Amino acid sequence: MYHAFSARAAGILSGWAIPLAAVALLGANPASAEDYRLGVQDKLKIRVVEWQTVDGAFREWTAVSGEYTVGSSGNLSIPFVGETPAAGKTTTEISAVISETLQRRFGLGDKPETSVELAAYRPLYVSGDVETPGEYAFSPGLTVIKATSLAGGNRSSFGMRTERDYINAKGNHDALAEHRIRMLVKAARLEAEAKGDTTVAAPDEVASYPGVKAIVADETAIMTARQRKLALQLSALKDLQSLLEKEIVSLEKKKATQERQLELARDELKGIDSLSDKGLVSNTRVLNAERLIAEVESQNLDLETSILQARQEISEAQQDEIELRNTVESDIAIERQQVQATLKETTIKIEMYRNLVAEALQAGTPADISSTDPTTTYEVLRVVDGKTETLTATEDTPVQPGDVIKVKTVLPSAGWLAGQ
């Protein structure tokens, strides 16, 4: 795992914080870190330093140092080194290649020192009759039984597994059937809402279901609550429009009175102007009359503004009413689409679980199954020299990184199934 420095470098770098412990033995496979051959997905920690004669110190190549993963092509991609074949090589060989490549590329007098550690092994895989098949991290000393334990242990009891599969499938089937009935009633309620109906009727295909009356009652309550809420909102908007219309009528009457008052004030001003020309009234009276006319005209403008505002608010209330109705219709349409999609998905799942139930029933009853004595066998699929080999294994067989462990539980005799 670790490419040693020269004797002089080792003395100077005694305080350099690089892990120097070798990787532990992998049971019997691989024998040691030095013998371990790298493969795809193995992770390496690489550090490169160079002795600076002028400064009398080591300089780390930070651009090269870091953690690298062996790619799917079996190569490492390292700055200044390029694509380097790694699959099938040891860490010592990789270290030598990096040092030689950097010396040659940069024309160095001495090779830079390279440390290559195995940071993480490529994963292994467990499949077959285990609780949680999948990919798992490798650690030294793993055997078949330990790897199987990582996957939750093997499902060794055929009878318990079959009975459990039946219970799970039956429970999921029944739950989905219940859910489908609710979705069908909900779809009927949304259809009724879209038409403006006030009652909900259960579809014929579920009308005889024992609990459908309660489901219909629940959906009816939802529809009634939404319709009541909409009615209250629309009523409030109608009341607002009615109030504004009454306000407009009142303002227009007041405006008519103001117009009459303005007309009288103007007539009075004409008479005063005539008397003023003859010197029979003072200018103060003329000014008072003109001021009165100006005030009345200002009040008329305020009344006209208020009338326009009230009409604008009526228009806004009418627009709010339209938007409210559109929103409710849009919400109902979206819910109907969602319910239809859920119904399709639920129907597919029900069919799947129905088939699983049938399959579990064909496997036998718990009484039949409990009398059997199942056995578990193991196989290890391992890539050797680029070829996949299938190895018969036992619980104590050591495993290697990248192995695929297949667990299979079988019955010693299938005669009890003949009459099924």
Side-chain angles (χ1 to χ4, degrees), residues 225-236:
R226 179 145 67 179
Q227 289 178 340
R228 185 183 297 114
K229 179 181 177 181
L230 175 61
L232 290 173
Q233 290 174 324
L234 292 175
S235 177

Side-chain angles (χ1 to χ4, degrees), residues 334-365:
I334 292 173
E335 282 191 62
R336 291 175 70 182
Q337 291 177 352
Q338 293 173 342
V339 168
Q340 291 301 322
T342 302
L343 278 172
K344 290 181 180 179
E345 180 182 356
T346 302
T347 301
I348 293 173
K349 289 182 177 180
I350 287 174
E351 182 63 25
M352 176 188 70
Y353 283 114
R354 183 183 292 118
N355 292 335
L356 290 175
V357 168
E359 181 180 346
L361 288 174
Q362 289 176 358
T365 65

Side-chain angles (χ1 to χ4, degrees), residues 213-330:
K213 290 184 179 180
I215 299 174
V216 170
D218 291 341
E219 293 297 329
T220 301
I222 294 173
M223 182 178 72
T224 302
R226 179 145 67 179
Q227 289 178 340
R228 185 183 297 114
K229 179 181 177 181
L230 175 61
L232 290 173
Q233 290 174 324
L234 292 175
S235 177
L237 290 173
K238 288 294 185 182
D239 291 343
L240 176 60
Q241 293 177 47
S242 178
L243 181 62
L244 290 171
E245 288 171 354
K246 291 179 181 178
E247 182 180 353
I248 290 173
V249 172
S250 177
L251 290 172
E252 287 178 341
K253 288 181 179 179
K254 189 173 182 180
K255 182 183 176 184
T257 301
Q258 292 287 85
E259 290 288 350
R260 178 57 181 162
Q261 185 177 355
L262 180 61
E263 183 180 349
L264 294 174
R266 285 172 178 169
D267 291 341
E268 182 182 358
L269 179 60
K270 289 180 182 179
I272 293 173
D273 284 340
S274 176
L275 294 174
S276 176
D277 292 340
K278 295 177 181 181
L280 298 176
V281 295
S282 65
N283 291 333
T284 301
R285 187 175 177 184
V286 173
L287 291 174
N288 289 336
E290 290 176 345
R291 185 180 299 110
L292 176 60
I293 291 173
E295 290 177 355
V296 174
E297 289 177 342
S298 176
Q299 292 172 358
N300 277 350
L301 288 175
D302 290 342
L303 290 172
E304 289 177 357
T305 301
S306 297
I307 291 172
L308 290 175
Q309 289 178 344
R311 287 175 177 166
Q312 183 178 357
E313 291 177 6
I314 289 175
S315 178
E316 291 175 353
Q318 292 172 341
Q319 184 62 34
D320 289 343
E321 181 181 347
I322 294 173
E323 290 180 357
L324 182 59
R325 293 183 184 276
N326 289 341
T327 299
V328 172
E329 291 176 0
S330 176

Side-chain angles (χ1 to χ4, degrees), residues 148-159:
T148 302
S149 298
L150 292 177
N154 61 304
R155 297 184 294 184
S156 59
S157 174
F158 184 81

